[in-house]
Structure formats: structure tokens, C-alpha cells
Amino acid sequence: MKNLAIFFSGNGSNMQALINASEQFKVELLICNNVEAKGIVIAENSGIELIIATNINEQDIYEKLVEKKIDYIALAGYNKLIKSFLLEKYNKKIFNIHPSLLPLYRGKDAVAQALANNARITGCTAHLINEEIDKGIILAQAMIPILNNDTIETLHKRILKQEQIIYAKTINKYVKQEEH
Ligand code: GRF
């Protein structure tokens, strides 16, 4: 069994999905950089060790990751860029979930970008991260049709449902493959 840490900044619905669907990994550490994150309640209810730190220093976090024997990191709505220090320590072992079909609509407002572009289809992408935002190796994607009356909220809600399914599946599969 491999150990996973989850970094989050917001609602934590993907974090919850990962905790619920962990098969090949055990969620051993939760790290939050936003004291107002709604996901803190989910984290506290999970009983998993939670660190809340607004000014996260990667060197300090790394010490904690080593102490907890963390093998993989999943970003789940984490709003800070991971720097080269952690990227090197966890090469090809940091996952992210993004609300678009990458390489389309990178960055923060991916759902709004798809709507503004009058796209008919968007989706979500589970990928490995590298030093460029939303540009790492793509591991899985799910397509979601855009409806005529969609708003950012209605569309994002449907995308999130798919994210929660593919993110856990992808990490389970990736970890299993790496072990064999
Ligand atoms: C998701 O849409 C994810 O793709 C993006 O941030 C959002 C996080 O949602 N990176 P949640 O906090 O997991 O509910």
C-alpha cells in the first residue's frame, strides 16, 4: 500500500472522493493553505492528520512528507504552484485534476473560458504536474457536453462529478501500474 498526501485550498470535494475511493493508496496527510477552506470540515471529519499553513514552505512540508512516508501527492483544488524543490523530490508522483480537456483552457478560470469560447464540449483532465501550469502528462480525461442554458456554476457542478470519478480511478490505476 502506498501513502498519499492531498493538498487543497477550497471545497475539498475531490479530496473527499479520493479518501472514499482509495484502494491502492492510503491517504495519510492533508495539507491546506487556506484557513477559510470549506474542505477543512471534511478533513477534520476524516480523522486523517491535517496541516493548515497559509505560508507553505516546501522544505518544511517535505520533512513532514518524509516523516509520514508519503509516496504520492494529489493536488485537489490547490491554488499554489508547486516549485522545483518538491517537483524534483516527487518526480512524476504529483497528480492534479483540472476542469477542462487539456491542453484547452489552462489556468484558473477554465470553466468560464469554455463558456466564453462557445464550446459545445468540455470536460476534465487528471494529469501529472510539471513546472508549467496544467501542462504535465495527461493520464485520463472525461468529456462533458455544454448545455445551452449552462452557467459557470451548473457546468462546473457537472464537471466536478466527473472529476471525482476519474481522479480516484486514475490514481489507483497509476499506483498499481508503478508497483508492478
Ligand atoms: C476542481 O474543479 C478542480 O478541477 C480544480 O479546482 C476545483 C476543486 O474543487 N483544480 P474541490 O475543492 O475539489 O471541490
Side-chain angles (χ1 to χ4, degrees):
M1 186 65 81
K2 296 289 180 181
N3 292 334
L4 181 84
I6 302 176
F7 289 24
F8 71 100
S9 312
N11 291 339
S13 70
N14 280 290
M15 167 174 65
Q16 178 79 77
L18 291 179
I19 293 169
N20 292 349
S22 53
E23 291 165 11
Q24 304 292 330
F25 58 86
K26 192 161 184 265
V27 182
E28 279 287 321
L29 185 63
L30 305 172
I31 294 177
C32 177
N33 67 342
N34 172 14
V35 287
E36 288 174 10
K38 291 202 182 124
I40 288 173
V41 176
I42 295 173
E44 284 174 347
N45 288 338
S46 74
I48 299 164
E49 183 171 347
L50 167 68
I51 295 176
I52 304 173
T54 45
N55 240 332
I56 286 181
N57 170 309
E58 288 197 355
Q59 271 90 341
D60 294 345
I61 283 295
Y62 181 64
E63 279 179 28
K64 190 70 196 175
L65 295 171
V66 171
E67 182 198 315
K68 299 289 286 184
K69 299 192 169 52
I70 299 298
D71 302 292
Y72 296 90
I73 297 170
L75 308 182
Y78 184 64
N79 63 12
K80 203 172 164 201
L81 207 65
I82 300 295
K83 300 198 191 111
S84 55
F85 179 80
L86 267 189
L87 279 172
E88 277 165 28
K89 301 284 187 199
Y90 281 88
N91 183 28
K92 295 206 171 69
K93 290 185 191 300
I94 310 181
F95 308 98
N96 185 39
I97 183 81
H98 182 77
S100 78
L101 294 172
L102 290 173
L104 286 176
Y105 315 131
R106 295 163 58 210
K108 269 187 184 162
D109 52 353
V111 181
Q113 287 182 52
L115 281 177
N117 206 30
N118 285 323
R120 300 325 298 159
I121 285 178
T122 187
C124 52
T125 304
H127 64 101
L128 292 172
I129 68 157
N130 63 14
E131 53 294 326
E132 288 184 274
I133 295 179
D134 302 328
K135 271 209 164 174
I137 296 169
I138 292 173
L139 300 174
Q141 294 186 304
M143 286 199 295
I144 290 117
I146 299 179
L147 309 177
N148 286 337
N149 55 355
D150 258 334
T151 61
I152 296 175
E153 289 70 32
T154 59
L155 179 56
H156 199 181
K157 205 170 161 194
R158 289 204 311 287
I159 294 174
L160 272 169
K161 267 195 185 165
Q162 288 303 315
E163 289 185 8
Q164 291 153 18
I165 296 166
I166 72 160
Y167 204 19
K169 266 195 189 166
T170 304
I171 297 179
N172 277 312
K173 192 172 156 196
Y174 189 89
V175 171
K176 196 172 180 184
Q177 275 171 357
E178 279 221 315
E179 273 190 68
H180 290 105

